[in-house]
Amino acid sequence: MTNKIRVCGAFLLAALWLFITCVAWLAPQKDMSVAERRPLEKMPEITMDSILEGDFMSDFESYTLDQFPARDSFRTLKSLVHKSVLQQMDNNGIYIADGYAAEMEYPLVNGSVEHALSQIRYIYDNYLKDTGSKVYAGVVPDKSYYLAKDNGYLSLDYEKLFRDVQEGMPFAQHIDITDCLTLEDYYRTDTHWRQERILKVAQRIAQAMGVSVPAAESFTPTKIEKPFYGVYYGQAALPMEADELYVMNSQLLKDCKVFNYEKNTYTEVYDMEKLNGYDLYDVFLSGAQSMLRIENPNATTDRELMVFRDSFSSSLIPLLVQDYATVTLVDIRYVKAPMLGRFLEFNGQDVLFLYSALVLNKNLI
């Protein structure tokens, strides 16, 4: 009886292995992982060179891992085991506390912050120093600033980060926005803040720059009728409810046009075509772009603003355009600082450097 059970068990195991192998080989290949927002490996080409050099087996292993049947379900199962059974505090560097997913960002990488500051100082010394520009700066805290300590997680030394940025940019007026934000102002499944909840941040910055403070009644929050699963949802691989995404509409923003330097075309402030993509947050100013120029025909002044920024500004800057005839947004992650003079004129515009703590700490600038 025992031998029969062993034989049946071995037969079932072999049958399962054969079934999974057939599915993996015969099922249509997937191009993208929606949850992870990345392209998946495809079946490598079989050549004599790739076999002899060992490249084929290495690429084939990556292919089988990416194209494994029900891969996302197994990722979720693994994450649940890590969290519920093994009692691990995070999974893939992502933790969930109070219903919010956040990245365990620790420690503060001094070299990364200094590198970012050196890039900013290069821009000031080579383009802004003698133009008469009023320069402002701010740091966007990660949601862990409001979440980590109370839940026993490590986080950045924010006080040192803020101090290093101020000391590294003595030419700028620094704007503290930490008291304008709470945990609820961020998406639960994503790194970014919610546009409909950051009007107070825009008001703080506008007041510091001496322009009209945007009023709540000037905007109409409009819900996007698609569920928003942010970047942390895929990385954590844990069950979470989707976020709701709103855009702040106004007649002023509808009249604005956005010039894309890369594509040499005009778009809208809210690029609704991006709602067909993998990241709904790209609806704000078309997502990751090296240089954009918002043209406001209804500006109350002829002032101009130039913003050196990351993706947090995509949802914030539309709330600040009222007084500015043009607002130019520059992302030096995608265009090198020494190249800026080829595309832009620096003639005394207001200038805002606004970067998130995560970008400053990851050597991304």
Side-chain angles (χ1 to χ4, degrees), residues 44-323:
E45 183 180 358
I46 303 176
T47 66
M48 184 62 69
D49 288 342
S50 66
I51 293 175
L52 293 177
E53 294 175 7
D55 294 336
F56 173 78
M57 291 308 301
S58 177
D59 294 342
F60 182 76
E61 181 181 6
S62 299
Y63 156 75
T64 55
L65 289 173
D66 272 8
Q67 300 291 341
F68 193 84
R71 179 174 177 275
D72 287 339
S73 298
F74 280 106
R75 289 182 66 244
T76 299
L77 177 61
K78 171 180 173 288
S79 298
L80 288 171
V81 170
H82 280 224
K83 180 178 176 64
S84 302
V85 179
L86 302 180
Q87 298 294 301
Q88 293 186 351
M89 295 187 70
D90 69 284
N91 182 51
N92 299 325
I94 308 299
Y95 66 91
I96 298 178
D98 297 340
Y100 285 78
E103 185 170 357
M104 190 179 291
E105 185 75 7
Y106 178 87
L108 182 66
V109 182
N110 294 320
S112 175
V113 177
E114 178 52 37
H115 176 73
L117 290 172
S118 70
Q119 295 296 303
I120 292 172
R121 287 193 293 266
Y122 178 93
I123 292 170
Y124 177 77
D125 290 339
N126 288 274
Y127 301 116
L128 304 174
K129 188 174 182 179
D130 299 318
T131 64
S133 287
K134 295 180 179 179
V135 182
Y136 307 89
V139 176
V140 181
D142 177 53
K143 72 174 76 168
S144 286
Y145 181 82
Y146 307 96
L147 183 67
K149 185 177 180 180
D150 291 341
N151 289 280
Y153 289 93
L154 296 171
S155 67
L156 299 178
D157 183 347
Y158 275 96
E159 296 309 313
K160 185 177 187 307
L161 172 62
F162 298 149
R163 184 170 62 251
D164 288 349
V165 171
Q166 289 189 26
E167 293 176 355
M169 301 177 61
F171 46 80
Q173 177 182 334
H174 292 266
I175 306 171
D176 181 8
I177 61 172
T178 54
D179 62 330
C180 298
L181 293 163
T182 65
L183 178 61
E184 291 72 23
D185 298 329
Y186 295 80
Y187 295 108
R188 291 180 298 102
T189 66
D190 197 63
T191 183
H192 294 106
W193 51 21
R194 308 173 64 98
Q195 191 192 39
E196 75 277 13
R197 292 187 61 96
I198 58 171
L199 190 61
K200 49 191 173 295
V201 175
Q203 292 168 341
R204 171 68 59 81
I205 294 173
Q207 186 176 33
M209 295 194 302
V211 294
S212 298
V213 175
E217 57 269 21
S218 301
F219 301 95
T220 302
T222 305
K223 181 180 177 181
I224 300 299
E225 295 300 330
K226 291 185 71 172
F228 176 40
Y229 293 97
V231 64
Y232 291 153
Y233 175 83
Q235 293 176 2
L238 287 169
M240 294 186 71
E241 292 185 7
D243 279 296
E244 293 181 342
L245 187 145
Y246 287 82
V247 297
M248 298 289 276
N249 277 315
S250 71
Q251 187 58 52
L252 182 143
L253 291 179
K254 289 180 180 179
D255 291 341
C256 289
K257 295 295 182 182
V258 182
F259 180 73
N260 188 313
Y261 283 80
E262 289 183 35
K263 300 178 180 178
N264 197 35
T265 58
Y266 280 92
T267 59
E268 306 295 326
V269 171
Y270 300 126
D271 189 347
M272 294 303 177
E273 291 186 5
K274 295 294 185 180
L275 297 178
N276 298 318
Y278 294 108
D279 188 353
L280 301 192
Y281 188 80
D282 286 349
V283 70
F284 300 108
L285 293 175
S286 303
Q289 305 291 335
S290 60
M291 291 191 297
L292 300 172
R293 184 179 68 246
I294 303 174
E295 299 176 2
N296 176 14
N298 300 315
T300 55
T301 74
D302 60 356
R303 293 173 66 173
E304 299 179 3
L305 173 64
M306 185 172 291
V307 184
F308 292 90
R309 56 96 179 206
D310 57 27
S311 54
F312 277 80
S313 290
S314 294
S315 54
L316 173 70
I317 296 305
L319 307 179
L320 289 170
V321 303
Q322 179 175 332
D323 279 6

